[in-house]
Amino acid sequence: DAGVTQSPTHLIKTRGQHVTLRCSPISGHKSVSWYQQVLGQGPQFIFQYYEKEERGRGNFPDRFSARQFPNYSSELNVNALLLGDSALYLCASSQDWPGRGALFSTDTQYFGPGTRLTVL
Amino acid sequence: GENVEQHPSTLSVQEGDSAVIKCTYSDSASNYFPWYKQELGKRPQLIIDIRSNVGEKKDQRIAVTLNKTAKHFSLHITETQPEDSAVYFCAARGGKLIFGQGTELSVKP
């Protein structure tokens, strides 16, 4: 049973460029969330998608965008890259979305290996 | 805004001792509290979680307690082993999952 997969594993870009990161959730999972983890800190929430709709957004600028496809895979796009965007980008999948059932929903999140983005 | 504070930032224990990591959260709507273990260069791995309808949960050497009134939750690891060495993150979810800053646990043989 495959876990969450992400591509690419590493990426080097220069300031001002654009990047697309990809995520495939665990089979049967319909929700994907994206996180940014700067070295030495906890993951910071960027987006959550469920059934191809955005269900939550963190405090990130409009340069960050995402989408979810009919097969539940997802892309994270970052435009006009800044040095401060250098981080590990993590994708997490869950069966469900907490808004549907709150206390008892199947919303445990499982993380992918991440994409290490370096902006020079 | 929503915030999760985690303490201590580093923790060093002898093999066989217990380790305790504490977190507080600000969003009173939070109802789900997972703990993740992250080894160097690897993905965060869920080790235990608790929902707001229970006060304690145990899984072998790991236990988590939740005090909703005080907005505190804690991770307890007993009989620590060198392979427990990693960074541990607590998280709390109201609308979105908010992580603490992490605790680097070092278990010395």
Side-chain angles (χ1 to χ4, degrees):
Chain A
D1 198 16
V4 180
T5 59
Q6 291 185 245
S7 63
T9 53
H10 296 87
L11 206 49
I12 298 175
K13 293 284 189 178
T14 56
R15 281 176 295 175
Q17 284 190 311
H18 161 271
V19 68
T20 297
L21 310 180
R22 295 178 175 84
C23 171
S24 291
I26 293 169
S27 177
H29 285 197
K30 298 181 179 180
S31 181
V32 168
S33 298
W34 286 95
Y35 295 85
Q36 181 194 66
Q37 187 177 25
V38 174
L39 197 62
Q41 296 183 21
Q44 283 210 309
F45 172 75
I46 310 175
F47 287 110
Q48 180 166 30
Y49 277 78
Y50 174 75
E51 290 282 15
K52 295 162 286 184
E53 290 189 19
E54 183 184 304
R55 302 290 184 166
R57 174 184 283 253
N59 296 326
F60 280 81
D62 292 345
R63 299 185 295 108
F64 289 76
S65 64
R67 55 180 175 166
Q68 186 177 34
F69 299 100
N71 66 353
Y72 303 112
S73 67
S74 178
E75 279 184 357
L76 175 70
N77 294 283
V78 187
N79 292 324
L81 285 167
L82 302 174
L83 295 179
D85 294 332
S86 295
L88 179 68
Y89 288 84
L90 294 161
C91 169
S93 81
S94 57
Q95 273 186 268
D96 215 330
W97 167 59
R100 285 174 53 82
L103 203 55
F104 301 104
S105 61
T106 50
D107 58 352
T108 301
Q109 294 194 7
Y110 299 92
F111 283 89
T115 294
R116 172 73 61 189
L117 173 63
T118 302
V119 182
L120 302 176
Chain B
E2 300 144 319
N3 189 43
V4 174
E5 294 287 335
Q6 182 172 346
H7 298 280
S9 56
T10 61
L11 180 59
S12 182
V13 299
Q14 288 296 130
E15 183 176 0
D17 286 351
S18 294
V20 180
I21 302 171
K22 299 183 178 182
C23 291
T24 59
Y25 60 97
S26 61
D27 184 1
S28 56
S30 296
N31 60 10
Y32 174 62
F33 307 90
W35 286 86
Y36 288 86
K37 174 184 179 183
Q38 189 175 29
E39 297 175 357
L40 193 62
K42 303 222 174 145
R43 74 187 77 188
Q45 297 265 21
L46 180 74
I47 55 172
I48 194 167
D49 56 11
I50 189 169
R51 298 185 188 264
S52 57
N53 58 329
V54 297
E56 186 173 357
K57 184 176 179 181
K58 189 173 181 181
D59 182 6
Q60 299 183 334
R61 299 186 295 110
I62 295 173
V64 59
T65 58
L66 172 64
N67 182 331
K68 288 186 293 183
T69 304
K71 296 183 190 173
H72 288 172
F73 58 115
S74 300
L75 177 72
H76 305 252
I77 306 174
T78 58
E79 300 171 20
T80 53
Q81 301 166 4
E83 51 265 39
D84 294 330
S85 296
V87 179
Y88 290 80
F89 292 99
C90 64
R93 194 205 61 221
K96 55 190 178 187
L97 197 60
I98 306 296
F99 283 80
Q101 301 91 329
T103 296
E104 185 174 0
L105 173 64
S106 175
V107 180
K108 301 186 184 306

